[in-house]
Amino acid sequence: MDYSDFFSERSKLLSSSFIRDILQAAKQPGVISLAGGLPDPDTFPIEKLMEIHNEVGKKKEVYQYDVTSGYRPLREELLKFLEKRGISASLDELVVTTGSQQGLFSLALLLLNRGDVAYVEHPTFVGALMPFKLFGAKSMDILNIEGIPIDENGMDVDVLEEKLRKVEEPPKFVYTIPTFQNPGGVVMSIDRRKKLLDLAHEYNFSIVEDDPYGEIRFTDDVPPSIKSMDNEGRVIYLGTFSKMLAPGFRVAFTVAPKEITEKIIVSKQAMDLHTATYGQAVIAEFMSRGFLEEHISFLREFYKKKRDALLNAMDIYFNKDVVKWVKPKGGLFTWIEVEGLNTMMISGRSAVEKYKVAIVPGAAFYLSKDEGLNMARVNYSYPSIDELHTGVKRLAYAIEMERSRGDNSSVMV
Ligand SMILES: Cc1ncc(COP(=O)(O)O)c(C=O)c1O
């Protein structure tokens, strides 16, 4: 049967990101991948989890359907966890989702009519663009997503303000990853966080604060979450266990005013009824034994060593007149800018085969494929320290070779 005439108009907005192709190429033997965003599997606290499995696995309730909002002991643990981080919420303001990706999907479904505009940081997390397109786009060509540039202090809220002054309709929401941005690796300054809240009040839009990386910090000098400064219920906050424990659990959480969480619950009932009970029960026990805070401290040390190894290698091998890079204070990525080189030249399949190193070209994180051409995202969480060293050495060589081949600014991506 030929299904091509059966697909919905909406489904035509779905396309696989070319990051997937790069990740595929990066799996070839001998290639060092600085492309993905995976946690290091050596961080998974398997022994402690096995200990918990032995106990939790005896409880009948963990094999049962549960309420959509999430396994109650986990939600209770999460409220305590968030309280310590300055976010006060009640049980009905928190819903557990199947990854924060599901939170993003639900929010897009609930908040965006076709033709409604969402603002995002530019560059941004590609996984957020997909649901925003799916629900907001007027057509394949008019996506109704607009980018606000970032710099070393996160989203440029002056540009946002300028734009808000000019447009007839404010966006439905502004999506931000203020702490250790993906892909930019930067942190939004406290002043900008405050200004964003002020603008949201003045122009009446909500803020979607996506915070998967906030716990992985190598310094205490990081501003509080925007949610913790919000006293109007304007911020919808997404957190996840994917990076602070293990992504295979697919357990995340959204904190928002009850009006929103109630709707997320109904949308989840249409999607998957509820997030798998077993994983939630294991995490609840992991938290109640105090293991999560310990684990987070361990992760900070662990990834700091990798961050340092990466920066050290960049310092050794990169030509500083050509390459500039962000020195991340947390998270899993850095962001580089290479003068006079379209980074597709060093990240396509043939380049990966040739140079045996993979990165994600900047264009992958922009709304139009002719932006971010000189940029690239470099991951340091997954490779070993030795691989980081060799990977950066290979990257420096690839940059040098491809730059010496002359003008490549018109390479199509
Ligand atoms: C900014 C951002 N948001 C959301 C996600 C999705 O996380 P989860 O595994 O909880 O679905 C990711 C994953 O890499 C991410 O980088």
Side-chain angles (χ1 to χ4, degrees):
M1 179 171 171
D2 176 6
Y3 276 97
S4 47
D5 291 337
F6 287 75
F7 287 115
S8 68
E9 280 306 308
R10 176 163 278 146
S11 75
K12 292 178 189 149
L13 290 161
L14 292 168
S15 57
S16 172
S17 144
F18 69 84
I19 295 183
R20 303 262 154 243
D21 303 334
I22 292 167
L23 295 180
Q24 229 20 60
K27 281 187 185 154
Q28 296 170 80
V31 171
I32 294 179
S33 178
L34 310 175
L38 303 183
D40 187 326
D42 285 347
T43 65
F44 300 151
I46 292 178
E47 270 178 31
K48 287 190 177 116
L49 289 170
M50 290 307 293
E51 199 183 304
I52 289 172
H53 286 303
N54 280 336
E55 245 180 60
V56 165
K58 290 180 192 140
K59 295 184 187 170
K60 287 187 182 147
E61 73 198 52
V62 305
Y63 302 102
Q64 191 52 284
Y65 282 116
D66 198 7
V67 290
T68 311
S69 52
Y71 186 66
R72 191 174 170 125
L74 175 63
R75 286 160 64 230
E76 286 170 349
E77 286 299 332
L78 274 169
L79 292 185
K80 289 187 255 168
F81 178 85
L82 290 164
E83 186 73 49
K84 276 197 210 150
R85 285 147 176 87
I87 299 177
S88 307
S90 57
L91 270 182
D92 53 16
E93 291 170 321
L94 185 142
V95 49
V96 176
T97 59
T98 304
S100 46
Q101 187 63 37
Q102 187 182 52
L104 291 168
F105 188 91
S106 286
L107 291 172
L109 179 148
L110 297 172
L111 300 177
L112 295 176
N113 283 318
R114 234 171 214 229
D116 282 347
V117 175
Y119 290 0
V120 300
E121 286 156 343
H122 220 197
T124 192
F125 170 55
V126 187
L129 296 179
M130 192 111 85
F132 299 169
K133 266 191 247 177
L134 202 53
F135 294 100
K138 240 184 200 149
S139 68
M140 304 267 271
D141 305 320
I142 308 176
L143 297 180
N144 297 89
I145 306 174
E146 294 185 25
I148 309 293
I150 61 167
D151 61 22
E152 66 279 13
N153 291 313
M155 185 195 293
D156 189 334
V157 287
D158 293 335
V159 174
L160 171 65
E161 183 173 28
E162 188 103 341
K163 197 175 173 72
L164 289 166
R165 269 208 207 111
K166 285 188 196 144
V167 291
E168 275 174 29
E169 284 273 321
K172 267 289 176 69
F173 56 80
V174 171
Y175 169 72
T176 174
I177 310 154
T179 313
F180 316 129
Q181 210 252 7
N182 179 9
V186 293
V187 176
M188 192 192 292
S189 67
I190 180 102
D191 291 348
R192 288 190 176 181
R193 288 173 195 235
K194 286 184 185 155
K195 181 154 180 184
L196 179 59
L197 275 169
D198 290 345
L199 290 172
H201 172 83
E202 188 180 342
Y203 290 89
N204 196 27
F205 57 84
S206 57
I207 298 168
V208 176
E209 179 178 18
D210 192 3
D211 189 21
Y213 305 107
E215 292 302 323
I216 303 182
R217 57 180 62 187
F218 315 133
T219 163
D220 291 332
D221 174 28
V222 177
S225 64
I226 306 175
K227 179 73 186 163
S228 67
M229 299 191 277
D230 167 33
N231 43 32
E232 282 192 316
R234 284 204 178 266
V235 181
I236 301 169
Y237 178 87
L238 299 158
T240 178
F241 288 95
S242 288
K243 306 290 164 22
M244 63 180 175
L245 183 56
F249 279 112
R250 308 307 302 131
V251 174
F253 47 95
T254 302
V255 185
K258 194 166 161 232
E259 279 169 270
I260 303 272
T261 52
E262 275 173 350
K263 287 278 191 191
I264 295 180
I265 288 170
V266 188
S267 74
K268 252 185 90 62
Q269 284 165 357
M271 277 182 239
D272 62 358
L273 292 180
H274 71 95
T275 298
T277 320
Y278 192 89
Q280 293 186 72
V282 170
I283 298 177
E285 188 61 27
F286 192 80
M287 290 178 87
S288 78
R289 294 187 188 188
F291 291 163
L292 185 65
E293 299 287 3
E294 267 172 44
H295 187 62
I296 287 171
S297 304
F298 157 76
L299 290 179
R300 289 174 180 172
E301 294 271 307
F302 184 93
Y303 287 125
K304 182 172 182 294
K305 286 189 193 125
K306 291 203 171 191
R307 189 275 316 255
D308 290 346
L310 176 94
L311 293 182
N312 186 32
M314 286 181 160
D315 216 33
I316 297 171
Y317 295 112
F318 281 167
N319 175 346
K320 291 173 196 72
D321 294 331
V322 172
V323 190
K324 306 259 174 295
W325 61 97
V326 168
K327 298 185 175 66
K329 293 182 178 171
L332 310 184
F333 307 107
T334 186
W335 182 240
I336 65 170
E337 181 176 358
V338 189
E339 200 256 329
L341 180 74
N342 182 330
T343 53
M344 269 311 282
M345 296 301 294
I346 50 167
S347 51
R349 180 172 277 275
S350 59
V352 171
E353 269 164 24
K354 184 167 167 195
Y355 297 114
K356 303 276 180 227
V357 62
I359 43 141
V360 182
F365 304 97
Y366 285 83
L367 290 157
S368 93
K369 293 284 169 272
D370 52 12
E371 288 180 82
L373 296 182
N374 295 345
M375 322 296 278
R377 189 187 74 178
V378 179
N379 166 265
Y380 54 85
S381 57
Y382 189 74
S384 68
I385 291 204
D386 283 349
E387 284 171 336
L388 283 168
H389 190 87
T390 312
V392 171
K393 189 174 178 184
R394 290 180 187 174
L395 192 54
Y397 176 70
I399 290 172
E400 197 187 316
M401 294 308 285
E402 293 302 324
R403 276 185 93 246
S404 68
R405 279 154 57 111
D407 178 35
N408 47 54
S409 54
S410 60
V411 174
M412 296 301 290
V413 293

